Amino acid sequence: MRVISGTARGRSLKPVPGMGTRPTTDKVKEALFSMIGPYFDGGHALDLFAGTGGLGIEAVSRGAEMAIFVDKDPRAVEVVQHNVEVAGMKEQCEVYRNDARRAIKALTKRGIQFQLIFLDPPYRLKDADELLMSMWNGGLIARDATIVVEHDARHQYPSSVGPLYVWKLADYGEIALTMYKVSDDAPVDASQAVLPN
């Protein structure tokens, strides 16, 4: 597992010990970034179920200004801190141990908006759409944001979540990527958006 392109290209990333974390393979990561980038001109990235931190690190390597990593597993947090250091990105990255929902509340208070959001929750969790709605209502999603949800290919996320719509879908065997963008007619005031029943 390595950084594929950009300023930290070729740096090896350490995996999280045990079987609880499933890192995005280099093949899927390469395909993903060729679809959403491949390079960025600044912007903030959020890696919400960070695991190894591979997606957020790749985003910063390819030009994102900074990344915030969140994981509730203490081993994953240690690994992300190690990988951020190996990639030479300590100044551009913040790493937190937290539950995803609590992290969204904490980030909302800070008033940060993200242009890139990665959600790669454990496959047993199928509530990424609810988390996205919380992020939208909290003002965390920039109007030009790209959001990537990595999930079990047998699960299908809705074609729209409030003002977000599916921009691209990609299938890699057992893994699927559902990518959302903000629709042009999304309300300016995020609080007007509600999760459909």
Side-chain angles (χ1 to χ4, degrees):
M1 203 172 48
R2 63 197 168 86
V3 182
I4 294 163
S5 191
T7 57
R9 181 180 177 177
R11 307 274 174 96
S12 289
L13 301 177
K14 183 174 156 183
V16 179
M19 296 298 288
T21 301
R22 181 201 67 258
T24 305
T25 65
D26 285 353
K27 178 189 163 192
V28 171
K29 193 160 59 172
E30 192 153 13
L32 160 60
F33 280 93
S34 69
M35 282 187 273
I36 66 168
Y39 298 100
F40 310 104
D41 186 15
H44 294 176
L46 174 62
D47 197 342
L48 192 56
F49 296 85
T52 63
L55 294 175
I57 288 170
E58 190 74 38
V60 173
S61 181
R62 291 169 182 253
E65 184 186 331
M66 63 92 71
I68 291 178
F69 301 83
V70 178
D71 204 292
K72 68 177 186 179
D73 182 343
R75 293 172 307 172
V77 169
E78 276 179 33
V79 166
V80 175
Q81 287 167 334
H82 168 86
N83 287 340
V84 159
E85 204 150 335
V86 163
M89 299 175 178
K90 214 170 167 188
E91 301 302 309
Q92 293 166 277
C93 297
E94 298 175 22
V95 186
Y96 298 104
R97 182 185 171 199
N98 211 337
D99 163 82
R101 290 179 189 279
R102 274 198 293 249
I104 288 168
K105 284 181 186 166
L107 291 167
T108 297
K109 287 177 187 164
R110 287 178 60 182
I112 302 173
Q113 282 207 321
F114 296 96
Q115 284 73 31
L116 283 169
I117 297 171
F118 303 104
L119 277 82
D120 183 9
Y123 281 1
R124 69 178 183 280
L125 299 181
K126 297 185 169 53
D127 61 351
D129 48 347
E130 290 173 31
L131 295 174
L132 289 178
M133 210 59 241
S134 297
M135 283 188 243
W136 174 260
N137 288 332
L140 297 179
I141 301 176
R143 292 188 76 83
D144 60 346
T146 300
I147 300 146
V148 180
V149 182
E150 185 174 327
H151 57 94
D152 187 325
R154 290 168 298 184
H155 180 70
Q156 192 172 351
Y157 277 104
S159 58
S160 62
V161 177
L164 309 173
Y165 67 93
V166 171
W167 170 61
K168 281 186 182 174
L169 283 169
D171 198 318
Y172 302 94
E174 293 178 4
I175 297 167
L177 300 175
T178 299
M179 292 168 240
Y180 289 94
K181 293 253 191 198
V182 181
S183 67
D184 291 338
D185 58 356
V188 176
D189 178 4
S191 63
Q192 293 174 34
V194 290
L195 188 63
N197 291 326

